[in-house]
Amino acid sequence: MKTDHTMKFNIFTIATIALSASVLTACYEDKGNYTYSDIEEVTVEFPANISAMERSENLVFAPVVTSSLNGTIKADDPNYEYTCRLRYQHTDENGKTQYWYDINPDKTKDINFMPDVPASSYSMWYTVTNKNTGVTHNFKGSVSIISTTSEGWMVLSNNGAEKRVRLDMVYTDSKGEQKVRKGVFPETSPEIFGATSLIMRPAYLTSTGDRIMLTANSGSYMLNSTTLAATEGQTIRNTYFASPSFPGEVITHLPIYNAGTYEAYTDVCVTTEGNCYGIYTYSAGASFEFVMNTDQQTNDPTYKVSPFIGSSQARPGNSAQALFYDITNKRFMVFNRQLAGNYASGRVLYQPQEPENANYSFVTGMDIVDMESTRFSDGEVFAVLQDNTGHRHVYGVMVNSTSTSTTMQQGNKYSDIYAESFDDADDYAFHSQYPFMFYCKGNKVYCYDLGTRTLMSTLQLNAGERVTKLKFNLYQAASLNNLNNQSEDFMNMQFKLIVCSTTGGEDGGIVRFYDISSTGQMTQYKEFTGFGEEIVDVTYRERSKS
């Protein structure tokens, strides 16, 4: 007879077999009535070369998003949501470090946003989320934010009664169109008043790099060569002077390239006090230490000079000389780099030795009105002088010697100019290819042929405009072969007349470029508007070959 233990075991075994049979029967009878769904795969194609101009142009692109289940996804499909961020380490408004910058706050498929980030190349993270399933797909791309200040026309202006300085830029955007960026200076820039000039001092294959200077009555600055920002401490005073407590502020600065093709060996400048300084930069440790407007080697000036500095603009290099004007004794004075490099000779200005059969005396006895440098006749400087009757004269001076001689070759003297508004013109400019002088009064610009003593043409701007500046922008690279753009159109921009005018007000400045024919006719080439009120200078931010 079986025991209870044996009976329990048999019962458990029979139950187990019955359960297994039940499971097998259930599997055998499975009707396949489960619900299956395909897994969605998403792909994204980005446009090639996604780019925008820094802080002036929206970043615009439309990725092609494709679902393996739904095909190409349209921008208005409500079932999907998107994010797009740039990898950018920065500090947010709460002082916390952030590593991503959102360029798609609206979470749309297509991107149309102006990112407030510096010019650079950025990694981009783009995500697509199916709102029904909650599944997110991630994709990596790249974006280029292009600098608006790397190359183009720098436009300097004074604004309002206090003459607050503003710097604007004409740049070429990612589509090849020229546009205006207003107010290049960031909010953290120091306040500057009474701007006088912009100086482009390019360097090629040297460690110094390009130098861009802004001179003004309240203080002159070495601008950041990438962003063009002015910052406290980065002043000409602190950069060039061994004793930065010198009186006045630098309002005119000129590099002298001699015959070299890479870097200027010498710099000269004039201050608001009417003093001039020179630096022989080819010597280590040299600095603007001693005034040069003195009759002997001393720190004490014995006369004052005008803010104008003349130099040969012939390329490559130019010369070893720079031309100044002594407003105390009313005479031309010359700086000679070769003599300045010799400390025994002293860093002083010299009265030029007059050549035989001189056309005029370098001691003119007249007041100076303007001085303009050109490439005409291999580097002629034209000075506009006014006698005690109020009549004006034009003197030509050849500033193109590289020797230690202070003898200067003279150009012509033009004392018989009686053209309309010549004697009370507001500004002057001189062509480097033709013997043409341009001057302005009110809203009129005049072209005068110095060779034939003839007024060739008159340009009248719109009523209510006033011309504030005339200029030819000759590229400043020591050798024009160093420029990264060698196209004919680019090179010819040097010989287009720049006419700056204002209609008044904060954005009333206008810059126009004019073609000049061999007969002196002025034909408008381009026009840009929206600059500061009183434009005082327009200078091209050059780029050299790397």
Side-chain angles (χ1 to χ4, degrees):
M1 185 174 181
K2 297 181 179 178
T3 65
D4 292 341
H5 176 75
T6 302
M7 292 177 64
K8 291 180 179 178
F9 176 81
N10 290 338
I11 293 170
F12 176 77
T13 301
I14 294 169
T16 301
I17 294 171
L19 178 62
S20 298
S22 174
V23 171
L24 289 172
T25 302
C27 291
Y28 180 76
E29 295 178 353
D30 188 349
K31 303 300 184 181
N33 55 353
Y34 292 102
T35 300
Y36 293 94
S37 61
D38 293 331
I39 297 176
E40 183 183 40
E41 294 184 2
V42 174
T43 60
V44 172
E45 296 180 20
F46 297 115
N49 303 320
I50 302 173
S51 62
M53 304 303 296
E54 175 191 22
R55 297 185 175 96
S56 62
E57 182 182 31
N58 278 16
L59 188 64
V60 180
F61 62 96
V64 177
V65 180
T66 305
S67 165
S68 60
L69 302 179
N70 302 314
T72 301
I73 301 174
K74 296 182 179 180
D76 59 355
D77 191 322
N79 297 307
Y80 294 88
E81 185 177 80
Y82 310 84
T83 64
C84 191
R85 299 179 296 168
L86 302 182
R87 178 71 175 178
Y88 170 49
Q89 183 174 339
H90 62 288
T91 303
D92 65 16
E93 57 187 9
N94 298 317
K96 295 182 178 180
T97 300
Q98 301 292 338
Y99 296 91
W100 295 95
Y101 181 86
D102 188 4
I103 61 171
N104 189 21
D106 295 331
K107 301 185 182 303
T108 57
K109 183 184 81 69
D110 299 340
I111 308 301
N112 189 337
F113 186 78
M114 183 183 292
D116 186 16
V117 296
S120 186
S121 295
Y122 295 91
S123 295
M124 176 183 67
W125 204 251
Y126 185 89
T127 68
V128 182
T129 300
N130 187 318
K131 295 164 68 175
N132 296 322
T133 64
V135 177
T136 294
H137 305 266
N138 302 295
F139 304 90
K140 187 177 181 181
S142 61
V143 164
S144 294
I145 304 299
I146 305 170
S147 172
T148 56
T149 57
S150 63
E151 185 171 0
W153 294 97
M154 303 178 290
V155 182
L156 182 67
S157 62
N158 291 323
N159 297 268
E162 58 187 357
K163 295 186 176 181
R164 185 184 298 273
V165 173
R166 171 175 150 184
L167 181 62
D168 301 322
M169 188 84 181
V170 178
Y171 66 93
T172 303
D173 71 9
S174 58
K175 300 178 181 64
E177 299 177 1
Q178 287 188 303
K179 294 182 178 179
V180 175
R181 177 182 170 186
K182 299 180 183 180
V184 170
F185 293 154
E187 293 182 359
T188 56
S189 292
E191 292 186 332
I192 310 173
F193 301 94
T196 56
S197 67
L198 279 168
I199 298 97
M200 178 71 219
R201 190 184 188 278
Y204 179 60
L205 297 180
T206 67
S207 59
T208 60
D210 294 340
R211 298 180 186 180
I212 303 171
M213 307 174 202
L214 186 159
T215 63
N217 287 281
S218 70
S220 300
Y221 291 81
M222 303 282 292
L223 302 183
N224 183 292
S225 61
T226 301
T227 65
L228 301 184
T231 56
E232 293 285 359
Q234 289 298 106
T235 63
I236 293 178
R237 174 185 293 275
N238 293 336
T239 303
Y240 279 99
F241 286 84
S243 300
S245 60
F246 73 95
E249 296 290 345
V250 173
I251 54 173
T252 311
H253 187 284
L254 175 75
I256 301 176
Y257 289 91
N258 196 22
T261 60
Y262 300 121
E263 175 67 292
Y265 282 169
T266 308
D267 291 80
V268 291
C269 69
V270 176
T271 70
T272 51
E273 298 294 308
N275 296 326
C276 62
Y277 300 82
I279 176 173
Y280 184 63
T281 49
Y282 196 59
S283 299
S287 59
F288 284 161
E289 296 184 63
F290 308 107
V291 295
M292 299 192 302
N293 47 308
T294 178
D295 290 320
Q296 53 187 317
Q297 192 170 351
T298 173
N299 271 338
D300 299 322
T302 54
Y303 57 89
K304 299 294 184 183
V305 297
S306 79
F308 305 114
I309 308 176
S311 68
S312 167
Q313 291 299 303
R315 290 295 185 268
N318 44 24
S319 72
Q321 297 177 331
L323 189 66
F324 292 81
Y325 196 80
D326 171 0
I327 59 176
T328 303
N329 301 296
K330 300 184 178 181
R331 58 179 177 168
F332 289 104
M333 300 295 287
V334 62
F335 169 84
N336 186 291
R337 183 188 71 82
Q338 304 288 11
L339 294 177
N342 182 352
Y343 283 84
S345 301
R347 289 181 176 174
V348 298
L349 302 184
Y350 297 89
Q351 183 173 318
Q353 298 180 30
E354 296 185 5
E356 296 182 5
N357 303 316
N359 294 327
Y360 53 81
S361 172
F362 285 118
V363 181
T364 70
M366 292 186 281
D367 296 323
I368 191 163
V369 177
D370 198 0
M371 186 187 291
E372 299 292 335
S373 304
T374 75
R375 290 188 187 139
F376 193 78
S377 298
D378 197 31
E380 188 168 2
V381 171
F382 292 94
V384 181
L385 304 164
Q386 182 169 299
D387 61 30
N388 56 14
T389 70
H391 182 56
R392 295 182 180 179
H393 311 248
V394 176
Y395 282 20
V397 185
M398 307 299 181
V399 189
N400 50 15
S401 173
T402 57
S403 71
T404 57
S405 172
T406 59
T407 300
M408 304 192 77
Q409 182 181 354
Q410 295 181 344
N412 290 324
K413 178 181 74 170
Y414 306 93
S415 294
D416 53 351
I417 302 175
Y418 297 100
E420 177 185 344
S421 297
F422 169 73
D423 280 343
D424 63 348
D426 297 320
D427 199 19
Y428 297 84
F430 294 82
H431 207 283
S432 285
Q433 295 175 314
Y434 306 121
F436 295 162
M437 172 182 65
F438 299 84
Y439 61 94
C440 61
K441 185 67 179 178
N443 70 337
K444 290 185 178 182
V445 179
Y446 303 87
C447 175
Y448 185 87
D449 189 329
L450 294 170
T452 62
R453 307 296 201 276
T454 304
L455 185 62
M456 303 296 288
S457 63
T458 301
L459 172 70
Q460 184 165 345
L461 303 182
N462 299 326
E465 286 189 46
R466 176 175 56 86
V467 179
T468 63
K469 180 71 177 178
L470 296 179
K471 182 179 181 179
F472 288 99
N473 182 83
L474 300 175
Y475 298 137
Q476 292 300 297
S479 171
L480 298 184
N481 290 330
N482 293 346
L483 293 168
N484 68 340
N485 190 342
Q486 297 289 317
S487 69
E488 183 178 357
D489 288 344
F490 180 76
M491 290 299 185
N492 285 340
M493 289 300 297
Q494 299 175 96
F495 309 116
K496 297 185 190 299
L497 177 66
I498 303 173
V499 178
C500 304
S501 64
T502 183
T503 59
E506 182 177 352
D507 294 326
I510 303 170
V511 176
R512 297 182 178 95
F513 295 83
Y514 288 88
D515 288 315
I516 308 300
S517 73
S518 59
T519 59
Q521 301 304 305
M522 296 172 277
T523 305
Q524 183 172 309
Y525 172 71
K526 283 186 179 180
E527 174 182 302
F528 301 96
T529 61
F531 300 102
E533 180 178 2
E534 187 92 2
I535 299 173
V536 297
D537 204 1
V538 178
T539 301
Y540 195 79
R541 197 284 183 241
E542 300 172 21
R543 303 303 304 193
S544 297
K545 298 175 182 176
S546 58

